[in-house]
Amino acid sequence: MSTATSLEQPTLNAADRCDRCGAQAYVRAVLPSGGQLYFCAHHARQVEDNLRPQVDVWQDETNRLEEERSASL
């Protein structure tokens, strides 16, 4: 398991949508099979404790939410 940086995985963008609710995804979980799951910050927090130990990559870009909020002020 690793926490990916933007050098390892492409940055998530507005086209990446949460698999649970359809909101913009800020977390990508790459499964050992190669499949990927996408989550908004809210749903990522809900599943992280159970899912994170099972994935190869947990790409968390939720810090961008604060950066985007600061930029809009």
Side-chain angles (χ1 to χ4, degrees):
M1 174 183 60
S2 68
T3 301
T5 65
S6 60
L7 297 176
E8 296 169 346
Q9 296 287 329
T11 302
L12 296 167
N13 61 53
D16 296 313
R17 310 310 290 180
C18 177
D19 290 330
R20 288 223 146 145
C21 68
Q24 183 171 346
Y26 287 92
V27 174
R28 176 190 350 244
V30 181
L31 305 171
S33 66
Q36 299 181 47
L37 299 171
Y38 294 87
F39 299 101
C40 64
H42 168 77
H43 285 115
R45 283 191 302 272
Q46 282 186 337
V47 301
E48 183 174 12
D49 289 342
N50 291 326
L51 184 60
R52 192 168 183 167
Q54 301 176 49
V55 301
D56 287 341
V57 176
W58 183 265
Q59 181 179 353
D60 186 339
E61 298 182 9
T62 55
N63 61 315
R64 290 178 37 218
L65 290 167
E66 184 60 37
E67 293 168 6
E68 292 168 4
R69 188 177 1 248
S70 296
S72 68
L73 296 177

